[in-house]
Amino acid sequence: MDKVEIHPSGQCQLRCPFCYGLDLAPQHRTNLPVGIIETNILRDLREAPELKDEEPLIVFAGMYGEPLLYPDIRRAISIVGELQFRFGIYTNGLSLDDDLCHILVTSANKCKKTLKPIYISFNITASVITDRLYEDLLPKIEKLSKIRNKENSSLQINAPIGIVKECCRDAVLRPMQDKLLDMGVDNIRYSFPWAPLDSSAIQDYQFIETEEYRDTLAIIKQLERSDPKRVKKRMPNIRPFDHCFAMSMSIAISPEGDVFPCPEVCSPIFKNKGLSFGSIINQRLSQIWQSRKHMQTFQSFDPRTIKCVCCPVDFDFNTTCAQIWPPSFEDFGKRLLGK
């Protein structure tokens, strides 16, 4: 088990036009009870005999929700530190405060030193398109960086930047990158959309048009060369995967408690398509992981049917994984069942 991604909250204070989960959120949004997170996920990982050798990365994120809006996020992060898990957080950062900064740093310091990474990733693009970057978000990141440095913490601060129309000009990107690096951000990653869009298709969206794609890529390459250790770009995958090996090493849990193969399908809409193989509300993680239902989902799921191209573990992972794991669904199913 490489990763357990928890989406604790169905709430978000923004409606970013590029958000993948915007149209996948249920009408009624809820929060995952913190007692369930503690008992059925985190403590079960430490106490269940079936999971005693697992050291997964615990991620707090959201397809359509903002994890820092979760009412019990302080308690959840504190438990992760208490149990010495490595962890990651994906957030727009707008709800970060001094108290939460200290909790993040404290929990990171409690993590087993041999386990990496421990990080928080800020959705920079969300603040750019809402004009909240310099006034609201950057001061919070700078405060976290100062507290992190003062406590000599191993917490990494990451800044993924999605390339949308407001983020495709050198006049916007260069000063933003300089500011982020100056305040101590460890990694900046520029991510391009899956494909450029024709101008006729982007009336209500922020994705860059075809003619802007090449020019923006040239700008990003220059920015990458300015600090190659801390600045990277990520290009989209083009073709769908024909097998899903992500679910053999990771799971995602929705605010409703349903367990899915990965965060890209972590929505009740995909539950109705048969992609959930358990509920953490009435089952412990040890009862779901490597269960018969888990195996059946692996056997029956064809990523091409929903055109999976944005794999959370990346194409290189799938290529490597396909070489390591059994070459057929049948063999993998036998391994899951201990046969």
Side-chain angles (χ1 to χ4, degrees), residues 12-19 22 66 91-95 122-138 140 161-162 164-167 169 172 176 206:
C12 186
Q13 70 271 62
L14 302 177
R15 289 183 60 83
C16 300
F18 58 81
C19 177
L22 196 61
E66 162 53 44
T91 174
N92 61 42
L94 297 175
S95 296
F122 291 96
N123 184 344
I124 302 297
T125 310
S127 287
V128 171
I129 69 170
T130 55
D131 295 322
R132 301 184 67 173
L133 179 68
Y134 288 95
E135 182 177 349
D136 293 335
L137 181 59
L138 291 188
K140 296 178 185 293
I161 301 173
V164 296
K165 290 187 72 65
E166 284 85 348
C167 296
R169 292 180 291 114
V172 173
M176 181 167 61
Q206 304 295 318

Side-chain angles (χ1 to χ4, degrees), residues 1-2 4 44-45 49-54 245-251 259-260 277-278 283-298 325-326 331-339:
M1 187 187 299
D2 182 68
V4 175
D44 191 53
L45 273 165
E50 305 95 318
L51 303 177
K52 63 182 178 63
D53 296 324
E54 304 291 0
F245 290 97
M247 78 173 78
S248 69
M249 302 188 77
S250 66
I251 59 172
V259 178
F260 293 92
F277 48 88
Q283 295 173 286
R284 297 186 307 277
L285 184 59
S286 56
Q287 295 173 307
I288 298 172
W289 181 252
Q290 297 192 348
S291 65
R292 183 178 295 273
K293 180 63 174 174
H294 184 185
M295 180 202 71
Q296 291 171 343
T297 305
F298 185 94
W325 282 80
D331 287 344
F332 178 69
K334 289 177 179 179
R335 176 172 293 192
L336 283 182
L337 294 176
K339 295 181 179 180

